[in-house]
Amino acid sequence: FPSHDTATLTVNVVSANVTSSAVSSTICINNSTTLNASSLLTLNGPTGLVAVSCTADNSGGGGSSPISSVVFGSINHTPTVASPYYNLNAPVAGKTTTILRGQSYPLTVSSGAASIASVWIDFDRNGVFDASEFTQLWTSASTGTVTITVPANATLGDVAMRIRTRGTGSSNGSADACTQFFSGTTEDYTITIVDQSDAPIS
């Protein structure tokens, strides 16, 4: 009978997010086997926001029921409340985040007093906060957490997220992304939607 030797080989991977698979087998001298590997690639879309259809208006006295905290992915922001009670936040650390298609994320918002609160995310990146992109945070509270699920067909790239509060008992529904409010505040953020796919490594 021929003798058998065992050898252990180390494979060094120089890029992140690589998965590999190998089936244990016997290899004869001067023969070969195949090691399969794939890399998880991030698919990105356009950078920068498309022009949104409206600027929120809380100018009637937004200092009541203001948004006091927003936590979503890597967003962890304590807004400053001042007239006209609307902030378009620059996409800097603590005020922007990257989310994946098809995944779910908790969004936690607080307000300085009891309010009604809502969020819209422009998942189709058309510059309009559609009713289908609306989530009610709460109707009479000062803090709450909802789960935001990114549609599997969401458009890749930078999109707008709008959060609005208003005094309890007022309307703040799916059609109110652009309505003039006489209480509460509005915060707009840039979030980035990406996708991932396996690509073979040759």
Side-chain angles (χ1 to χ4, degrees):
F1 295 98
S3 61
H4 292 78
D5 290 326
T6 300
T8 300
L9 300 177
T10 301
V11 177
N12 294 316
V13 178
V14 295
S15 62
N17 300 320
V18 172
T19 57
S20 62
S21 63
V23 177
S24 178
S25 62
T26 300
I27 307 171
C28 295
I29 294 175
N30 295 323
N31 286 342
S32 62
T33 191
T34 300
L35 174 67
N36 296 313
S38 63
S39 176
L40 197 59
L41 298 179
T42 299
L43 306 178
N44 301 296
T47 59
L49 292 178
V50 296
V52 296
S53 60
C54 63
T55 298
D57 187 347
N58 293 70
S59 59
S64 61
S65 307
I67 298 167
S68 57
S69 175
V70 176
V71 178
F72 182 62
S74 56
I75 295 174
N76 191 343
H77 181 218
T78 302
T80 300
V81 179
S83 180
Y85 309 110
Y86 164 71
N87 289 322
L88 174 57
N89 293 285
V92 297
K95 297 181 183 180
T96 188
T97 192
T98 297
I99 55 178
L100 276 168
R101 274 178 172 170
Q103 299 298 308
S104 297
Y105 301 86
L107 167 65
T108 300
V109 178
S110 298
S111 63
S115 65
I116 180 171
S118 301
V119 59
W120 294 260
I121 299 177
D122 186 20
F123 286 122
D124 59 7
R125 201 173 182 274
N126 69 348
V128 178
F129 293 115
D130 300 310
S132 61
E133 299 169 331
F134 162 84
T135 301
Q136 190 85 70
L137 291 165
W138 63 76
T139 57
S140 181
S142 59
T143 189
T145 300
V146 295
T147 298
I148 300 293
T149 299
V150 185
N153 63 346
T155 302
L156 301 181
D158 290 346
V159 303
M161 176 174 75
R162 172 165 292 178
I163 301 173
R164 302 196 77 184
T165 58
R166 195 177 189 184
T168 299
S170 303
S171 172
N172 188 0
S174 61
D176 290 319
C178 306
T179 303
Q180 183 179 14
F181 289 172
F182 291 96
S183 56
T185 58
T186 300
E187 296 288 322
D188 278 0
Y189 298 90
T190 299
I191 60 176
T192 303
I193 299 176
V194 299
D195 203 359
Q196 291 183 335
S197 65
D198 283 323
I201 298 175
S202 58

